[in-house]
Amino acid sequence: MKPLYVRVHARDNVGIIVNPGGLPAGASFDGGLALRESIPQSHKVALHLIAAGAPVVRYGEVIGLATRAIEPGDWVREDTLELPAPPALDALPLATATPPPQPPLDGYTFDGYRNADGSVGTKNILGITTTVQCVAPTVEFAVRRIKCEILPRYPNVDDVTAITHGYGCGVAIDAPGAAIPIRTLRNISTHANLGGWPVVVSLGCEKMQPQRLFPAPGSGAALPVLDGEPHIVRMQDQELTGFGGITGSIMRLAELRLEELNRRSRTPCPASDLVVGLQCGGSDAFSGVTCNPAVGFAADLLVRAGATVMFSEVTEVRDAVHLLTRRAATPEVALALIAEMRWYDEYLARGSADRSANPTPGNKRGGLSNIVEKALGSVAKAGTSALAAVAPSGERVTAKGLVFAATPASDFICGTQQLAAGMNLHVFTTGEGSPYGLALAPVIKVSSRTALAERWHDLIDVDAGRIATGGATIEDIGWEIFRLMLDVASGRKKTWSDRWGLHNALVPFNPGPVT
Ligand code: CA
């Protein structure tokens, strides 16, 4: 393979090395540029002379200022870049360049489980939710027995899962920050893939009493009731004797719910019933060139089909927020996005941190020098549609179109919050690689590089690396992801994480104090 780099935007003064294994000093490109030092794959090469203090430009945007003069052919990396200030939140353009709607995309369907409230499941799962971590091992024990002894009699149910978490007690339950984990767990417990409600297991003495998780009757989130009885087991109740009595009680309620879930069947649903969560994890410098733009193309297809597409990860949007506020459908939507950024700026400041805390050693190994470069690549997942709505962390999203659902960027926290927002299908892009998966919704994993897709051939679902080498276009891979989403949502194809049963823990975002 001859020496090759990719430049994303005509204004860019850096390119990304494409060749697997990188290139040695002296390697020269078509056009005459020669490397002055060896540069690893996916890292940046200076295309022109960049004076000390001058902007380094990638994606047509400034990703930093040169800390010293950089010669053409030099390796541009973290220590040659000064992090620029983030976009000021009080001077952003508000809905000044709202993209017009693209032509509708009709006729695409998937086979899903329609619920009474109109939501659609992509799986049919019995969920056993918990009000506190104390009961988690008991519920996991019961789930193992249910899977062996009861589930085989209910062939239309895909799985039984324990909805466990680290929350519920030892927390300041009335602090403002507590609202986020509580609504997160409520919305996960009533997820479309659980048919709208779970079996509940409580300890009895915990801070997060079942009534807090499922408050006022009639609010749509009241305690689930079956045959007039709440669908709940309280371990400390006087009438439960011994561990056998407790697990037997959980298993009895589980079987009642399994009988109901077993009556569900897949029916054709329009693609507009998809609620797709987008996320990246273990990103590299290719992510913004290959997998994220391909996912962005697929996101545009989903918006055209009338679906809901969520992107998230506040700290990876913060440095590109000026590109998004102008794309908002209305000034109010732009202001809601800014409010989420401001909340997170203050949250980080309370912890004596800032956005520079985001990039990982793996991101930097993969050629991402700082959070600005990472953010510009990350928001490519959001495609080109108008930003239709913004949802605070853990709130259920009801809008159609492109939605910003606020979450931290941490993979497993973001996935948990997106489930609460109503995600019934997850698309996860990765450069360095992650075996990430979720029990409650299928996770389609897309690699930024072919080398990763080949090495992890039984973990990665889509290889977007072919875009960098010219083997496929962004449009090709975007359509491939779109069609795979319909197949996976229908249960016709299984993702690798579902085939292996790789399901990460639920980790609700808790910005509130622990006691
Ligand atoms: Ca992430």
Side-chain angles (χ1 to χ4, degrees):
M1 181 176 171
K2 68 177 185 178
L4 202 61
Y5 66 78
V6 280
R7 176 159 68 164
V8 179
H9 192 279
R11 288 210 304 133
D12 292 0
N13 54 16
V14 292
I16 305 301
I17 301 294
V18 172
N19 304 71
L23 289 173
S28 67
F29 301 93
D30 291 348
L33 178 72
L35 294 192
R36 282 162 37 92
E37 56 192 314
S38 70
I39 304 184
Q41 188 197 28
S42 75
H43 282 248
K44 292 177 288 299
V45 56
L47 304 178
H48 314 295
L49 177 69
I50 305 171
V56 174
V57 179
R58 190 180 171 201
Y59 303 109
E61 298 285 327
V62 177
I63 62 168
L65 305 174
T67 54
R68 57 171 172 77
I70 300 172
E71 299 286 331
D74 275 355
W75 182 5
V76 178
R77 55 193 169 193
E78 188 184 2
D79 60 355
T80 51
L81 281 179
E82 189 186 315
L83 187 66
L89 291 178
D90 49 7
L92 291 168
L94 307 179
T96 51
T98 309
Q102 297 186 56
L105 192 63
D106 295 323
Y108 289 91
T109 62
F110 69 102
D111 297 329
Y113 299 96
R114 188 167 292 285
N115 296 311
D117 66 356
S119 67
V120 172
T122 56
K123 291 185 175 185
N124 186 22
I125 303 173
L126 167 63
I128 304 185
T129 204
T130 55
T131 52
V132 66
Q133 167 61 213
C134 310
V135 302
T138 300
V139 172
E140 281 155 4
F141 178 92
V143 164
R144 284 195 295 275
R145 282 194 59 189
I146 294 163
K147 282 189 180 184
C148 289
E149 300 168 29
I150 308 179
L151 183 63
R153 295 202 299 275
Y154 299 94
N156 296 336
V157 182
D158 294 320
D159 200 5
V160 181
T161 191
I163 300 170
T164 62
H165 52 86
Y167 199 71
C169 208
V171 290
I173 200 85
D174 293 315
I180 293 178
I182 294 172
R183 71 178 174 235
T184 297
L185 288 166
R186 175 184 310 136
N187 288 334
I188 287 176
S189 301
T190 55
H191 192 275
N193 285 357
L194 308 180
W197 48 277
V199 168
V200 183
V201 178
S202 153
L203 180 58
C205 57
E206 66 272 23
K207 280 275 186 69
M208 188 168 72
Q209 288 287 306
Q211 293 81 357
R212 250 191 211 263
L213 192 55
F214 301 104
S219 70
L223 265 180
V225 170
L226 194 72
D227 295 340
E229 292 296 318
H231 222 184
I232 184 167
V233 174
R234 276 190 197 80
M235 285 185 67
Q236 291 169 343
D237 276 359
Q238 296 297 317
E239 52 272 27
L240 291 176
T241 303
F243 188 63
I246 291 164
T247 51
S249 185
I250 296 171
M251 291 170 74
R252 248 187 327 276
L253 278 186
E255 179 140 20
L256 290 173
R257 184 64 180 142
L258 279 170
E259 282 169 11
E260 295 179 335
L261 292 170
N262 199 50
R263 288 185 216 117
R264 303 173 88 201
S265 57
R266 291 187 184 270
T267 55
C269 301
S272 57
D273 285 322
L274 287 175
V275 182
V276 177
L278 309 176
Q279 194 194 169
C280 44
S283 297
D284 68 5
F286 270 123
S287 296
V289 182
T290 58
C291 52
N292 289 353
V295 167
F297 187 87
D300 284 350
L301 295 177
L302 287 164
V303 171
R304 289 173 57 195
T308 301
V309 192
M310 299 184 282
F311 69 111
S312 297
E313 304 176 287
V314 172
T315 50
E316 293 172 15
V317 165
R318 179 66 181 87
D319 281 274
V321 69
H322 55 297
L323 306 176
L324 292 161
T325 53
R326 67 172 76 132
R327 266 170 65 186
T330 64
E332 289 72 28
V333 171
L335 289 168
L337 180 65
I338 292 167
E340 292 301 330
M341 299 295 121
R342 184 167 284 126
W343 185 94
Y344 218 93
D345 280 359
E346 290 165 5
Y347 166 73
L348 289 173
R350 280 201 299 279
S352 302
D354 63 24
R355 74 214 210 281
S356 68
N358 175 307
T360 64
N363 293 149
K364 291 178 179 176
R365 188 174 66 223
L368 290 174
S369 298
N370 61 30
I371 184 58
V372 183
E373 185 178 17
K374 186 173 174 179
L376 290 167
S378 177
V379 298
K381 297 195 300 297
T384 62
S385 307
L387 178 62
V390 172
S393 201
E395 281 202 355
R396 186 66 65 80
V397 168
T398 53
K400 298 288 188 182
L402 181 67
V403 178
F404 179 74
T407 77
S410 157
D411 295 352
F412 34 87
I413 300 180
C414 171
T416 302
Q417 299 306 118
Q418 287 188 331
L419 283 171
M423 166 175 79
N424 57 18
L425 189 67
H426 201 10
V427 178
F428 184 93
T429 63
T430 183
E432 297 289 309
S434 171
Y436 172 82
L438 294 170
L440 284 186
V443 179
I444 294 173
K445 291 205 290 296
V446 185
S447 79
S448 76
R449 281 185 284 182
T450 299
L452 174 65
E454 287 175 347
R455 188 158 42 86
W456 281 19
H457 57 89
D458 48 7
L459 287 168
I460 298 293
D461 300 292
V462 178
D463 170 22
R466 291 170 286 156
I467 294 167
T469 49
T473 64
I474 286 171
E475 292 77 7
D476 294 338
I477 305 290
W479 275 105
E480 183 179 328
I481 294 167
F482 180 72
R483 293 199 173 92
L484 182 60
M485 283 194 279
L486 298 176
D487 283 340
V488 168
S490 302
R492 287 191 292 268
K493 280 189 182 163
K494 270 198 165 187
T495 63
W496 280 113
S497 56
D498 274 346
R499 279 200 245 181
W500 296 122
L502 306 179
H503 296 149
N504 284 88
L506 294 169
V507 187
F509 180 37
N510 175 24
V514 171
T515 60

